[in-house]
Amino acid sequence: METKTIVFTAPKTAQLLETETKAMTPTSVAVKMEYTVISGGTERASIMGAPNTGNSWPRYLGYCGIGHVMEVGEQVTSVVPGDRVLVYHGRHSQYNVAPETKVTKVTQEKLDSLEAAFTVIASMGLGGVRKLELELGESAMVMGLGLLGIFALQFLRLSGAYPLIAADPNPERRALALELGADYALDPTEEGFCQTVKELTGGKGINACVEVTGRSEAMLQALNCASRLGRISLLGCTRVSDCAVDYYQQVHRPGVKLIGAHNFIRPKFESYPHHWTHQDDCKAILGLLAAGRFRIKPIISRVVKPDEAPEIYTQLCDDPKFPLGTVFDWR
């Protein structure tokens, strides 16, 4: 089946092309998409050809979206045609054919598809927070307020973090963080940043930090802000290391834990404490969203047509203030 798909055909080049969907198998689910969400950090790195993104072109992104089931393979039991589903690691495409294990049924009928479309990316933020094993009343900080950071911030608040500190150079994102529950929002480029963090935590430093900037200098700041026996969840992908770390003084002696939090390091079949499957995390987020305990609407910046993709991705490459929540409408 032919479908319109956004394809990265070369560095800094995106096109909307006619492509073929993957072939159906007995365990496949074919989905007609409503919305797909741009994950700015990952997609910018990919279209720019950054280190650790591979060497081949073309490339296909768009791992977060929502749509309705059109067809299922003969062995599929969890969804039927007509069901509304999330598609995990699909493409920015009019149609996706995915394994049954990569679709999650949305059972909350009144939930807005535009908001629910962000759930897969939100689950990645939640996965990074779970690995911190946060306890009620511990201090926490998020370094970097892109989509993953903004979602991680909300999950830290739901988990009982206090004080909860957000750090980002962008004043608009700091204001959004305060709206969504941060106790303090700081500019990490200002002189004395780490000293301010220590003061806000009674001199102890941060117990639990989500580092999601993908920048080695921010990682260095996270280490300098960490408490004794602190934990840092490496949710961002630091693709270039250009800052020296004193591992004895900053990691070994204070007992700081550095925790790899890539989304692929998840249990595939059964959740256990602090390590949930992507489907269980998605279901939890959908429930929280429907109950009004988790907010996505303030994050949505704009909804655009797929044929605007070349201009949108040029902006993503060139504009450091690229709008946070950008969504393609495939309806």
Side-chain angles (χ1 to χ4, degrees):
M1 178 174 64
E2 286 196 343
T3 180
K4 292 181 179 179
T5 303
I6 297 168
V7 184
F8 299 169
T9 53
K12 298 189 73 172
T13 304
Q15 295 178 270
L16 183 65
L17 302 176
E18 290 285 347
T19 65
E20 285 290 326
T21 62
K22 296 177 182 179
M24 288 289 292
T25 73
T27 57
S28 290
V29 179
V31 182
K32 184 176 182 180
M33 304 304 294
E34 288 187 87
Y35 300 104
T36 60
V37 179
I38 291 180
S39 179
T42 299
E43 296 195 38
R44 184 180 189 278
S46 181
I47 198 171
M48 296 287 284
N52 297 318
T53 61
N55 299 312
S56 62
W57 304 85
R59 300 179 181 185
Y60 303 86
L61 268 290
Y63 55 70
C64 181
I66 192 168
H68 286 86
V69 175
M70 299 169 54
E71 180 184 356
V72 299
E74 59 190 30
Q75 295 179 18
V76 173
T77 59
S78 63
V79 296
V80 298
D83 282 346
R84 187 168 53 151
V85 295
L86 306 173
V87 179
Y88 170 82
H89 279 278
R91 296 176 174 180
H92 287 301
S93 189
Q94 186 178 12
Y95 300 98
N96 270 291
V97 174
E100 181 181 14
T101 55
K102 292 191 175 183
V103 299
T104 302
K105 184 176 178 180
V106 180
T107 59
Q108 296 83 0
E109 293 183 3
K110 295 183 179 180
L111 201 56
D112 180 21
S113 285
L114 180 57
E115 292 184 78
F118 286 77
T119 301
V120 171
I121 293 178
S123 75
M124 298 174 184
L126 178 53
V129 169
R130 287 195 190 283
K131 291 186 176 183
L132 290 170
E133 301 184 14
L134 186 79
E135 294 191 13
L136 183 72
E138 286 192 300
S139 62
M141 180 168 69
V142 178
M143 296 287 293
L145 299 174
L147 280 179
L148 286 175
I150 282 291
F151 289 134
L153 180 89
Q154 292 193 68
F155 295 128
L156 286 167
R157 182 175 175 84
L158 284 168
S159 300
Y162 182 80
L164 177 55
I165 301 171
D168 195 285
N170 187 321
E172 294 178 356
R173 293 188 180 185
R174 294 199 303 271
L176 178 61
L178 290 170
E179 179 185 346
L180 293 175
D183 297 300
Y184 305 97
L186 306 178
D187 183 347
T189 66
E190 288 189 354
E191 187 176 352
F193 167 75
C194 290
Q195 181 59 35
T196 300
V197 170
K198 290 289 180 70
E199 291 171 358
L200 293 174
T201 55
K204 295 180 180 179
I206 293 294
N207 299 127
C209 178
V210 176
E211 202 299 297
V212 70
T213 68
R215 301 177 66 89
S216 57
E217 61 266 37
M219 180 64 210
L220 190 61
Q221 285 182 308
L223 285 168
N224 288 333
C225 291
S227 69
R228 186 173 178 271
L229 302 177
R231 293 95 68 201
I232 302 174
S233 176
L234 307 180
L235 190 58
C237 297
T238 305
R239 303 179 190 279
V240 178
S241 181
D242 52 11
C243 289
V245 173
D246 184 337
Y247 287 97
Y248 181 80
Q249 292 292 344
Q250 295 174 294
V251 181
H252 180 50
R253 194 166 187 269
V256 172
K257 291 182 180 180
L258 304 180
I259 307 167
H262 196 287
N263 192 57
F264 288 166
I265 306 301
R266 282 181 177 270
K268 294 186 181 300
F269 303 108
E270 187 173 355
S271 299
Y272 60 97
H274 312 297
H275 298 79
W276 286 32
T277 67
H278 81 266
Q279 286 198 337
D280 282 348
D281 265 346
C282 285
K283 291 174 183 177
I285 291 167
L286 290 168
L288 290 167
L289 184 60
R293 298 180 65 182
F294 175 70
R295 298 174 66 193
I296 289 178
K297 191 168 291 184
I299 296 166
I300 302 171
S301 305
R302 59 182 173 177
V303 180
V304 299
K305 297 179 180 179
D307 57 14
E308 297 178 60
E311 294 78 19
I312 294 294
Y313 281 101
T314 295
Q315 183 187 15
L316 177 62
C317 292
D318 297 338
D319 185 358
K321 293 187 176 181
F322 184 81
L324 188 62
T326 298
V327 184
F328 290 113
D329 185 346
W330 296 93
R331 295 173 301 170

